Amino acid sequence: MNKRLKLILKNPGFQSFLASLVCIVLGLLIGYIVLLFINAEGATQAILMIIKNFFKYPSAGAAMKYFGSTLVKAAPLLMCSLSVLFAYKTGLFNIGAAGQYALGAGICLYCALALRLPWFVCIVFAMCGGAFLGVISGILKSLCNVNEVISGIMLNWISLYTVNTMLAGVKEETSHYTMNISNVNTDALLPKLGLDKLFTNNQYVTLALPLSVIVAIIINIILDKTKLGFELKATGLNKFAAKYSGMAEKKNTILTLAISGALAAMGASLFYLTGYEQWSVTSSSVPAMGFNGIAAAFLGGLSPIGAIFSSFFIQHITEGGAYVDKTKYCSQISDLISSIIIYLCGFVLFMKQFMNNMIRRSELKKGGKG
Amino acid sequence: MGNEYAVEMRNITKRFPGIIANDNITLQLKKGEIHALLGENGAGKSTLMSVLFGMYEPEEGEIFMNGNKVDIKDPNDANALGIGMVHQHFKLVECFTVLDNIILGTEPVKNGLLNKQEAKKKVLELSDRYSLKVDPDAIIENITVGMQQRTEILKMLYRENDVLIFDEPTAVLTPQEIDELMEIMRNLRKEGKSILFISHKLNEIMAVADRCTVLRKGKCIGTVDVENTTKEELSKMMVGRDVEFVVTKEPAKPGEPVLKVENISIAAKHKGIKAVNNVSFEVRSGEILCIAGIDGNGQSELAYGISGIEKLIEGKLYLNGKDITHDSIRERNIGGLGHIPEDRHKYGLVLDYPLHYNMVLQRYFESEFTTRYGFLKKKNIRAYAERLIKDYDVRSGQGPDTWARSMSGGNQQKAIIAREVDRDPSLLLAVQPTRGLDVGAIESIHKKLVELRDNGKAILLISLEMDEVMSLSDRILVMYEGKIVGELDPKETTPEELGLYMSGAKNNMKEGA
Ligand SMILES: Nc1ncnc2c1ncn2[C@@H]1O[C@H](COP(=O)(O)OP(=O)(O)OP(=O)(O)O)[C@@H](O)[C@H]1O
Ligand SMILES: [Mg+2]
């Protein structure tokens, strides 16, 4: 009995799952404490709101509709977390995902609004743009030995202002937001495939959902079953052994970051081409999506399949934050609480290590008594 | 109650997935003795010592110290009980000084401030008393392996440990450093310390140990007094058959040159000097050419230069007549270069890959292991690994699925040798190939190398072991300070003469050649 439990506890897959769970609970707890400090009265209700998100709607139809909205934003997050974890398997930290996401958004919107191209062409161009940023980081890393984190952060800023400039020509006259795709070029909207009906006519639920899940599965297959995955993981685990075995380390670095960049940029087009949100050309920071991708990647145990669930969860919390009573808390509270939770999600690896030690210690104790 | 045993491990059993690493083992360490632990690769020596040091919890068994039952839950407990260990792979902080590493975890504090002066005094005292020469202010990554090891020993002494465990301390040392270590161990015994000493080198055990316990496949075969035994008897106890210590081989029939090295130079890690300085030689098919020399005279860099890991400053390399000076590592591998690297953990293995992945590190892309569309043929990879494991007797808990990290040091080495030899290279570059192997495994690896030679392959052997150099090679080149200083015929030379060349006292090469 006890032995079987211990075996389950030692299974690495289960450990990742448990660690993620512990991080989530801890994040919620700390979030709750912060709420208590700010205003004890509304704290319980506020944290429940965050957890409930769309479940707060009593009618099934409304709940479904807002469930759909959460999913719409979970798809790009999933793509960003895939971007981060794919690079991480090769031993690279793609903090540039945020900039690649921004550039992807800029290019797909420009293609849709200025060039009036159909959606799939917009996606392809956006992916090329993201890949291009990845290649720059990759070349700097492998030829000039510039750390990909540094170049990634610089490129994040460069992309932000490039996109702001690029989209200035396609913005509404009266606001600083880009034009609505549905008014300009309906060909650029992602096909709905009837999915909108499933979610109480939520028009933003599109092909993006199944597509992002399919991409996650493809990434999983690439990492686990192909020659390319074999090489990339070997490089990430021991770059000296990879070099010794004749794997082209420099080529792989560039290739990995190119693929990562394309994934993040694709994520942006899977979001902006639904028409759910417009780009503000006065943005002074890149969308948080790319950074949240880092948390989602870790929370998902660095597995593409895990990322599907972790991305949904993180988006769920973020959306839920929007329902917190604004009369009791200032308007930034939702961001604050969800960032605390997301931040703790980044601690999964640490938590796993910690749990391992605990298991070992309890084992040892038992050995002493018996 | 005056008990004669410093440590008694009674009926210890430790299981890992798929294997019983220690099967009901009893080990008694007398006070003030040097007790050797001998056994084949994977016999369970490191595991047994890790149990004593509190890193593994045994399923069964008890440990007594000075007659009292003790409970060792983790290395801190072991330390508190006076047990210290020098691991097979050192555990020092590379960027700290020697002194910092020694006091790490037991920093002396005075009024809340670190009192390093006192610690330094104590370390210097200890280093004097046991003649353990170290420079307390040197940074670990800049000092020799020998000095790193002395740091580990001082660390144990600083904590006033009385039971000292040495896990294969001599595998990484030069012959001179080994002699020094033997002397240090005798000193420690004189001071009343009790020592457990793991080694595969029977000469060392005969020279320094009082008693020897032999393990085979996790079981205890027996404990003998070293005085009343011989090398042959010990190796028979350990392997279960007679072991031949001399390599039997026909005279070499060298053919065409396979590797041609022309005036190559390679930079040293510390910029400004050349580790390899204008070296030229040839290795022909059907011969074993050995590069002998004291560690640190450019042999490692030479190997990395030939394999393509380090760049050449100047010179040319030809493999089978083709200029490979600017070829990538992959091109050299495909062109017929096999390489058993010096550092098995850094270059030789991906420790967090399973064994079967490690067996195809340079071949995974071949059509036998990958489909046209880039998918791995995992079945074939596994089957191939299974064959290598069988042919080369690589022992592990779960066969092809074992994580390389969990394998015993010697079996990791055997896996690398299996992979490289089985690729059937036309030139095999073997750097310290038998480091950490048991006598039985050394015998069979030597046989494989001779077999490879007789099949018309060229072998370039780089070794620090005088015995290996003398018995295996067909031709010897001696390297000293980055240059080849002598070419010798092993049948006509003596170890003494070889030693003179190695220390730079003799030179039979023309200047500028
Ligand atoms: N952490 C571990 N997990 C699983 N198996 C292990 C682990 N550590 C050791 N083993 C297995 O236990 C057996 C004994 O290993 P151990 O390291 O004790 O051998 P050893 O006698 O020290 O050999 P060597 O001379 O090669 O160092 C090996 O088969 C090894 O694969
Ligand atoms: Mg060992």
Side-chain angles (χ1 to χ4, degrees), chain A residues 225 227 230-231 244 364 367, chain B residues 57 73 339 353 364 374 376:
Chain A
K225 302 227 177 328
K227 183 177 93 173
F230 183 96
E231 271 194 24
Y244 156 89
L364 288 172
Chain B
E57 174 219 18
K73 291 193 206 76
H339 178 198
Y353 259 179
Y364 61 93
L376 294 176

Side-chain angles (χ1 to χ4, degrees), chain B residues 22-206:
Chain B
N22 290 158
D23 188 355
N24 195 14
I25 292 181
T26 296
L27 177 78
Q28 295 168 318
L29 173 67
K30 286 185 191 163
K31 278 176 200 156
E33 76 165 341
I34 299 181
H35 193 121
L37 200 52
L38 182 67
E40 288 175 289
N41 296 123
K45 306 178 296 292
S46 296
T47 305
L48 187 66
M49 290 304 101
S50 302
V51 166
L52 178 58
F53 195 55
M55 297 199 303
Y56 291 133
E57 174 219 18
E59 275 85 26
E60 284 156 45
E62 296 171 326
I63 300 175
F64 292 82
M65 286 189 77
N66 303 314
N68 304 318
K69 182 164 185 260
V70 292
D71 201 8
I72 305 174
K73 291 193 206 76
D74 55 36
N76 289 333
D77 288 353
N79 254 318
L81 289 165
I83 302 172
M85 179 160 176
V86 178
H87 297 270
Q88 199 164 358
H89 304 101
F90 300 158
K91 297 192 186 306
L92 295 169
V93 186
E94 292 266 301
C95 54
F96 276 22
T97 65
V98 169
L99 180 65
D100 290 341
N101 267 288
I102 292 173
I103 62 176
L104 198 68
T106 49
E107 295 88 345
V109 185
K110 201 175 185 181
N111 307 329
L113 293 172
L114 200 58
N115 188 353
K116 269 200 197 170
Q117 262 351 78
E118 201 148 302
K120 191 166 170 179
K121 226 176 85 198
K122 189 171 165 195
V123 168
L124 286 175
E125 247 173 52
L126 284 170
S127 123
D128 221 38
R129 180 150 137 224
Y130 296 98
S131 44
L132 290 157
K133 275 167 280 159
V134 293
D135 169 7
D137 300 316
I139 308 283
I140 295 293
E141 57 189 358
N142 298 336
I143 62 179
T144 62
V145 195
M147 202 187 283
Q148 291 183 9
Q149 189 168 60
R150 292 197 285 275
T151 306
E152 289 269 27
I153 299 173
L154 275 172
K155 193 170 165 179
M156 298 194 295
L157 296 175
Y158 184 83
R159 290 155 187 230
E160 293 168 2
N161 290 328
D162 294 319
V163 175
L164 313 178
I165 306 170
F166 290 87
D167 193 352
E168 283 191 51
T170 56
V172 291
L173 298 184
T174 64
Q176 289 73 14
E177 286 172 328
I178 292 176
D179 290 340
E180 282 172 32
L181 179 68
M182 299 283 120
E183 206 42 51
I184 292 167
M185 285 172 51
R186 289 193 193 101
N187 274 337
L188 291 167
R189 174 172 55 189
K190 225 172 19 206
E191 298 280 336
K193 310 277 181 194
S194 315
I195 297 177
L196 278 160
F197 169 57
I198 300 181
S199 176
H200 288 297
K201 297 179 192 162
L202 298 167
N203 289 335
E204 295 168 3
I205 293 178
M206 299 302 292

Side-chain angles (χ1 to χ4, degrees), chain B residues 450-486:
Chain B
V450 171
E451 201 182 297
L452 208 61
R453 177 199 79 164
D454 292 343
N455 287 337
K457 312 293 177 188
I459 293 167
L460 178 58
L461 174 73
I462 297 184
S463 177
L464 301 177
E465 302 274 337
M466 193 73 95
D467 292 345
E468 188 165 71
V469 172
M470 294 300 284
S471 66
L472 202 57
S473 57
D474 298 315
R475 200 151 62 90
I476 303 173
L477 294 178
V478 185
M479 226 173 148
Y480 177 72
E481 292 190 339
K483 287 181 183 283
I484 304 279
V485 294

Side-chain angles (χ1 to χ4, degrees), chain A residues 221 224-231 233-234 237-238 240-241 243-247 360 363-368, chain B residues 55 57 71 73 309 329-330 333 339 341 345-347 349-350 353 357 361-362 364-365 374-376 378 419-420:
Chain A
I221 290 173
D224 203 40
K225 302 227 177 328
T226 67
K227 183 177 93 173
L228 179 67
F230 183 96
E231 271 194 24
K233 283 191 294 182
L237 291 170
N238 182 350
F240 298 105
K243 182 175 182 182
Y244 156 89
S245 334
M247 297 172 187
R360 239 175 65 84
E363 245 181 35
L364 288 172
K365 274 218 189 84
K366 254 207 255 80
Chain B
M55 297 199 303
E57 174 219 18
D71 201 8
K73 291 193 206 76
I309 290 173
I329 296 175
R330 174 67 43 93
N333 282 339
H339 178 198
H345 280 183
K346 187 170 178 189
Y347 289 105
L349 295 166
V350 178
Y353 259 179
Y357 270 25
L361 268 190
Q362 300 105 324
Y364 61 93
F365 54 87
F375 285 91
L376 294 176
K378 289 201 186 178
R419 180 181 73 206
E420 297 309 309

Side-chain angles (χ1 to χ4, degrees), chain A residues 299-369:
Chain A
L299 185 63
L302 291 169
S303 126
I305 305 304
I308 299 177
F309 299 100
S310 63
S311 303
F312 171 74
F313 173 78
I314 289 189
Q315 203 50 51
H316 179 83
I317 293 291
T318 314
E319 291 289 295
Y323 296 126
V324 172
D325 190 345
K326 298 284 157 43
T327 57
K328 295 202 176 89
Y329 297 98
C330 63
S331 60
Q332 272 93 2
I333 191 71
S334 56
D335 286 343
L336 177 66
I337 300 300
S338 34
S339 349
I340 290 175
I341 297 170
I342 291 169
Y343 195 77
L344 268 156
C345 293
F347 282 102
V348 169
L349 288 185
F350 173 77
M351 192 53 75
K352 205 167 150 185
Q353 182 74 37
F354 180 73
M355 281 182 357
N356 253 328
N357 289 347
M358 293 278 285
I359 295 172
R360 239 175 65 84
R361 204 153 305 153
S362 86
E363 245 181 35
L364 288 172
K365 274 218 189 84
K366 254 207 255 80
K369 274 180 212 141

Side-chain angles (χ1 to χ4, degrees), chain B residues 257-261 281-283 306 317-320 427 460:
Chain B
V258 175
L259 176 76
K260 253 164 106 174
V261 176
F281 61 88
E282 283 181 358
V283 195
I306 293 172
L317 290 170
Y318 298 90
L319 185 62
N320 295 319
L427 173 80
L460 178 58

